[in-house]
Amino acid sequence: MGLTIVHILMILCFITIPYATSQLHHARIVEEEDSTANRTRVVIDVKGGPESVIWVVQLSDLHFSVFHPDRALDFKSLVGPALSMINPSLVLITGDLTDGKSKDLSIMKQDEEEWVEYRNIMEEVLKRSGLDKSIFYDLRGNHDNFGVPAVGGSLDFFSKYSINGQLGRSGNVNSVTVQSGEQKHLFVGFDSTMSVGLRGPTNLFGHPSDQLLTDLDTELSQWNSQSTKPVTKITFGHFPLSFSAKSYAGKSLKDIFLKHSLSAYLCGHLHTKFGKNLKRHHQLGHHFLFSQGFFQLNLHQAPAESTKNCSNGALPVEEFWEWEMGDWRKSRAMRILAIDRGHVSFVDMDFKSGAKKTIVLPTFPLDSRFMLTTSSLRKYKCQSVDPLSYETVRALVFSVSPIVSVVARIYDSVNGNLDLVMEASMSRREDNSRGDLYTAPWNFKAFEDPSPNRYWLQIEATDIMGRSSLTELRPFSISGISAKLSWTWMEFLVMGCQWDALYYPILWSFLMFIFYILLIPKALLTFSKKQYTYKNFSADKGVISGLAWVLTELCRVPVVWFGILGYLFYLILFPWFFGQVFTTGGERGYMTYKGWVVKNFNDQKNIEFIGSPDIMVVVLPHLFFVILPTILVIGALTAERGVYRVHLLSFLGKKEDDYGLEHYRGNRRSKFHLRKRWIRKLLLVVCLVICWKHFKNCRFLMKAYQMNPLLHFPAYSLTIPLLLAYAVYNTRRV
């Protein structure tokens, strides 16, 4: 009997869910004329409850590839049903829709077959999800821009096959407002890929123009004078700020975001291979390293002094979160982001193990690791919090099957263990029609504590099939104090370092260092009376005398010394190589340490120094992993020859005095193993490794830019191997 009732309930659910879903997907999309700014606002007025919360889905770095069909097939089979279950107000796809790479990953240019596949897959996803096409916003990533000479041209497949392109969203900045009841939520997406799309690998950074920053500023301020309640502002783009350059006028995306006090900036680009904690809190600061924009040491920045100012005229807090998300390419990642009465929360999940039957997203209390630090503290200290938003624990539950129970549990970690201090059943809101919001009343004042990670929240949902889904344990802080997270070294390198600002300081510091180690020993050898020899080093045993000896030995090989010095001047003054920078056709451009110089397809004039600092992926590895090791190993070879000479002469003189030259020749296997010269053989292996690394880089560049090493970059490709070969030949004998 029990089983029969369960079966009847399941049948009723399967009958009613499609009808309900078709109703849930309904939203009124309004285009409002803004006469003050001469533009049209897009407003999505979501219908149904709960009015207090809206949610959106983010996907990124799909990398649909003709060589990896599983990416598109999994997207079609998993994302469509998931979106139908989640029923978001928006779907944001933040770049790298296609891969644009050859099978061996060396050639990076547009492939129209991949774009046709993207268009077809998205049509299938739209059918399976039942969502309106207009709520999808996709962005161009750097892979979607490889080798595209001009937007709107024959190679600009994004404008032809993307959803934004099909819907006529041709601008670099597009905004949409999601309105639920009296709450407004402004989403602004932007395309900061370079205006002239180079082939990879020197197409890595976002390049916002001054016009884009002006448009972004305008879109973010569209409700400032017309909304009586605060507007939650979210921006989304492809590139993290650490991989975004400044505009020609020296302005940055961060300046605009801080000005408008965003809740969050959503991005992609880096993938999960660099870490799963690629998040960063930005705040207007005065520390030298922060103000100069070189790097940020910690994921969190300290709260500003403005938290103590509770006056009505207090300036808004200038801060925002940057949340990079994982990729679909390998991680099959998806994010659901919810805004509940101004509180922004999210859950990241992956579909590597298949479709999700139930997804639970706690919307309050917030995860204390990702709270807006200063804003939360000010609201708490100034007692300006909304009581309605604090009086219940809330969570969104998405499921393919009816949910029979949702339970909220709070644990206390004060004793070093997780002790259960509250367990409450959550009830589904009666006004739910867009999605299921579950709430449970609680006494939030009982959980006020100066520690942001004392209390931990976990929510469990159980469906009619008996399947249980648990959220991860999340710390929360009622008092507005945020818990601290730490980056790994890899996460710090990709999120904490502002590479646009660091490129030239690193480049010139390295070049100055190389010039010093070449010129100072030469000056010592020419003008100093002190002799830096192996004998002096043997007597002093000092690091300085040892380095001086090795580097002065290098100066005694004039061909090598002048060759290295001349090669450095060549890299500074002349093009490194000439390459094919666009997908097909067009003249070759050339690359210097400042960037690429290419022909403009529109007026045939040269565009100078584009792709900076993107070219650092070629310049810095060549300097650090080829040139510097070359100088050191050549110095070591010349020093080894000097040591060998000293030992040989000493041994030869002693044997001639005692036994004669014939006896010396019969005792060559001395304790010094003079004939074997093990150190020299080891250095020869290092030379081979350097040449292998250099030729591997050259081969990659040859394929990437369709170059002939003898015609298009002879100095770059041949100088280092020739210098190493000469040094080996010159030091083979005393």
Side-chain angles (χ1 to χ4, degrees):
M1 181 66 178
L3 288 175
T4 304
I5 294 175
V6 170
H7 289 159
I8 294 173
L9 287 173
M10 290 178 63
I11 292 170
L12 288 174
C13 289
F14 287 132
I15 292 174
T16 57
I17 284 176
Y19 173 77
T21 301
S22 65
Q23 299 302 310
L24 296 181
H25 294 158
H26 176 69
R28 188 167 62 95
I29 302 175
V30 182
E31 293 188 356
E32 300 179 355
E33 292 294 333
D34 183 1
S35 57
T36 60
N38 193 25
R39 67 172 182 268
T40 301
R41 291 196 191 99
V42 178
V43 180
I44 298 178
D45 190 6
V46 294
K47 295 299 183 180
E51 288 190 352
S52 62
V53 60
I54 63 114
W55 54 95
V56 303
V57 163
Q58 181 191 1
L59 294 147
S60 192
D61 297 271
L62 313 185
H63 290 270
F64 287 179
S65 169
V66 294
F67 305 106
H68 302 277
D70 56 301
R71 299 171 190 172
L73 293 175
D74 287 348
F75 194 88
K76 179 174 67 174
S77 63
L78 296 172
V79 173
L83 292 178
S84 177
M85 177 180 74
I86 297 167
N87 186 33
S89 298
L90 290 174
V91 179
L92 315 175
I93 308 177
T94 52
D96 283 356
L97 314 179
T98 62
D99 198 42
K101 283 188 175 184
S102 60
K103 192 171 185 179
D104 63 357
L105 308 181
S106 60
I107 302 174
M108 306 179 200
K109 60 182 182 179
Q110 297 305 298
D111 188 331
E112 189 169 9
E113 186 178 346
E114 294 177 346
W115 283 100
V116 172
E117 180 181 48
Y118 173 75
R119 180 196 60 188
N120 295 339
I121 291 296
M122 293 309 299
E123 291 296 333
E124 287 292 326
V125 168
L126 286 167
K127 290 178 182 178
R128 293 193 179 195
S129 67
L131 298 175
D132 192 282
K133 191 175 187 177
S134 62
I135 72 169
F136 283 71
Y137 283 77
D138 51 9
L139 296 176
R140 193 192 317 256
N142 59 312
H143 282 248
D144 308 318
N145 196 36
F146 282 157
V148 179
V151 173
S154 60
L155 296 175
D156 179 19
F157 299 131
F158 177 88
S159 297
K160 182 178 181 180
Y161 294 107
S162 69
I163 292 177
N164 272 13
Q166 294 173 51
L167 295 180
R169 299 169 185 155
S170 57
N172 287 332
V173 180
N174 290 283
S175 68
V176 57
T177 301
V178 179
Q179 183 169 301
S180 177
E182 297 182 354
Q183 302 285 329
K184 285 185 173 63
H185 313 88
L186 176 62
F187 291 82
V188 181
F190 60 92
D191 172 10
S192 62
T193 56
M194 60 176 64
S195 57
V196 177
L198 302 173
R199 287 189 182 190
T202 53
N203 185 341
L204 184 65
F205 281 70
H207 293 266
S209 64
D210 288 303
Q211 184 60 51
L212 183 143
L213 295 178
T214 300
D215 294 343
L216 191 59
D217 186 23
T218 302
E219 292 297 324
L220 285 169
S221 60
Q222 62 182 273
W223 294 108
N224 286 1
S225 60
Q226 300 184 32
S227 180
T228 56
K229 290 191 174 183
V231 178
T232 304
K233 299 179 181 180
I234 305 285
T235 58
F236 57 100
H238 179 64
F239 302 93
L241 298 188
S242 55
F243 283 85
S244 294
K246 288 188 176 180
S247 70
Y248 183 80
K251 298 179 181 179
S252 69
L253 290 167
K254 181 178 177 179
D255 299 332
I256 304 299
F257 295 166
L258 286 173
K259 174 183 176 181
H260 291 277
S261 300
L262 298 184
S263 292
Y265 167 52
L266 312 177
C267 58
H269 187 53
L270 292 179
H271 301 205
T272 54
K273 64 182 178 181
F274 293 108
K276 295 185 177 181
N277 197 29
L278 301 180
K279 301 168 180 68
R280 182 179 175 186
H281 176 247
H282 297 266
Q283 186 166 313
L284 189 66
H286 304 287
H287 192 280
F288 173 76
L289 294 177
F290 299 155
S291 62
Q292 296 300 315
F294 290 131
F295 52 82
Q296 179 176 314
L297 296 176
N298 299 309
L299 186 149
H300 291 267
Q301 290 190 276
E305 291 296 322
S306 59
T307 55
K308 300 177 182 178
N309 188 352
C310 296
S311 64
N312 292 330
L315 295 174
V317 179
E318 295 181 335
E319 65 174 339
F320 68 93
W321 269 104
E322 177 183 5
W323 291 329
E324 200 270 357
M325 77 160 293
D327 57 288
W328 181 266
R329 177 178 178 265
K330 285 190 176 180
S331 302
R332 301 296 191 264
M334 174 188 280
R335 169 179 290 164
I336 306 175
L337 180 137
I339 306 174
D340 185 351
R341 298 183 186 275
H343 301 293
V344 183
S345 56
F346 66 92
V347 61
D348 288 341
M349 68 210 80
D350 67 72
F351 289 82
K352 288 188 291 187
S353 58
K356 304 295 182 184
K357 303 299 182 182
T358 302
I359 301 171
V360 182
L361 170 54
T363 63
F364 193 83
L366 291 178
D367 189 328
S368 59
R369 296 169 296 183
F370 305 118
M371 297 171 63
L372 286 172
T373 310
T374 304
S375 302
S376 301
L377 276 172
R378 177 190 280 184
K379 288 180 180 179
Y380 174 74
K381 290 182 178 180
C382 299
Q383 298 181 347
S384 60
V385 297
D386 180 6
L388 292 177
S389 68
Y390 274 70
E391 63 187 10
T392 56
V393 177
R394 300 184 294 279
L396 287 166
V397 181
F398 312 102
S399 181
V400 296
S401 302
I403 297 296
V404 295
S405 72
V406 180
V407 178
R409 298 184 181 93
I410 295 178
Y411 297 89
D412 188 349
S413 64
V414 68
N415 296 320
N417 300 316
L418 291 176
D419 300 321
L420 183 64
V421 294
M422 172 183 155
E423 184 174 40
S425 295
M426 304 181 74
S427 57
R428 181 179 179 272
R429 289 273 298 268
E430 294 182 358
D431 62 344
N432 289 347
S433 57
R434 292 186 289 116
D436 293 339
L437 179 68
Y438 285 79
T439 64
W442 69 328
N443 179 16
F444 68 90
K445 291 186 177 294
F447 298 97
E448 293 179 342
D449 194 87
S451 172
N453 51 13
R454 174 179 175 178
Y455 294 107
W456 295 71
L457 172 69
Q458 188 174 54
I459 294 176
E460 180 181 15
T462 306
D463 66 10
I464 198 170
M465 306 294 292
R467 293 178 298 224
S468 176
S469 298
L470 281 169
T471 65
E472 67 168 356
L473 284 163
R474 296 185 175 197
F476 67 88
S477 172
I478 295 300
S479 56
I481 304 172
S482 61
K484 303 303 179 185
L485 283 176
S486 297
W487 279 319
T488 64
W489 275 106
M490 185 64 72
E491 290 168 345
F492 166 72
L493 286 176
V494 297
M495 286 297 288
C497 296
Q498 190 63 35
W499 290 106
D500 171 50
L502 287 171
Y503 170 53
Y504 279 111
I506 292 174
L507 172 66
W508 289 113
S509 297
F510 177 86
L511 290 174
M512 291 297 292
F513 171 73
I514 296 299
F515 280 122
Y516 282 148
I517 66 175
L518 288 175
L519 297 176
I520 291 177
K522 188 69 172 179
L524 292 175
L525 190 63
T526 306
F527 302 108
S528 177
K529 295 180 179 179
K530 184 177 180 180
Q531 297 295 316
Y532 293 93
T533 63
Y534 173 66
K535 289 184 178 181
N536 294 337
F537 169 66
S538 299
D540 296 342
K541 301 293 185 183
V543 176
I544 301 299
S545 62
L547 288 173
W549 159 57
V550 171
L551 295 174
T552 51
E553 286 290 337
L554 173 63
C555 298
R556 291 189 172 94
V557 187
V559 172
V560 173
W561 188 86
F562 280 107
I564 294 173
L565 190 64
Y567 185 55
L568 290 176
F569 277 109
Y570 172 84
L571 294 179
I572 294 173
L573 300 174
F574 298 99
W576 287 35
F577 42 74
F578 293 78
Q580 182 70 49
V581 295
F582 300 126
T583 297
T584 56
E587 297 183 15
R588 290 183 176 273
Y590 63 86
M591 196 202 86
T592 72
Y593 76 92
K594 294 181 181 180
W596 283 90
V597 177
V598 300
K599 286 282 187 182
N600 189 332
F601 266 52
N602 294 325
D603 55 17
Q604 294 300 308
K605 294 181 180 179
N606 279 344
I607 304 176
E608 294 188 342
F609 308 135
I610 61 173
S612 178
D614 309 68
I615 49 144
M616 67 187 293
V617 299
V618 173
V619 173
L620 296 185
H622 185 63
L623 296 179
F624 280 94
F625 302 121
V626 177
I627 293 179
L628 181 59
T630 296
I631 295 172
L632 296 178
V633 76
I634 291 177
L637 280 169
T638 55
E640 188 275 341
R641 184 185 63 173
V643 173
Y644 179 68
R645 180 193 301 115
V646 170
H647 284 307
L648 182 60
L649 292 176
S650 174
F651 191 66
L652 180 61
K654 180 178 179 180
K655 290 302 179 181
E656 285 178 340
D657 291 342
D658 295 345
Y659 306 105
L661 184 59
E662 291 299 323
H663 184 78
Y664 159 71
R665 290 174 178 170
N667 290 276
R668 289 184 177 179
R669 293 185 180 274
S670 65
K671 63 180 180 180
F672 298 111
H673 298 284
L674 297 178
R675 289 187 61 190
K676 294 185 178 180
R677 299 179 71 178
W678 291 112
I679 295 178
R680 174 180 169 78
K681 292 179 179 179
L682 178 61
L683 292 173
L684 293 180
V685 173
V686 176
C687 290
L688 291 175
V689 172
I690 294 172
C691 288
W692 173 81
K693 172 67 176 175
H694 179 59
F695 282 127
K696 186 178 178 182
N697 292 343
C698 290
R699 181 177 178 272
F700 178 78
L701 291 171
M702 285 167 54
K703 298 187 72 175
Y705 299 110
Q706 294 179 309
M707 297 186 295
N708 184 310
L710 298 179
L711 295 177
H712 302 127
F713 61 125
Y716 177 90
S717 61
L718 298 178
T719 302
I720 293 297
L722 289 175
L723 288 173
L724 286 170
Y726 180 84
V728 170
Y729 175 81
N730 187 66
T731 58
R732 76 191 191 284
R733 61 178 66 176
V734 177

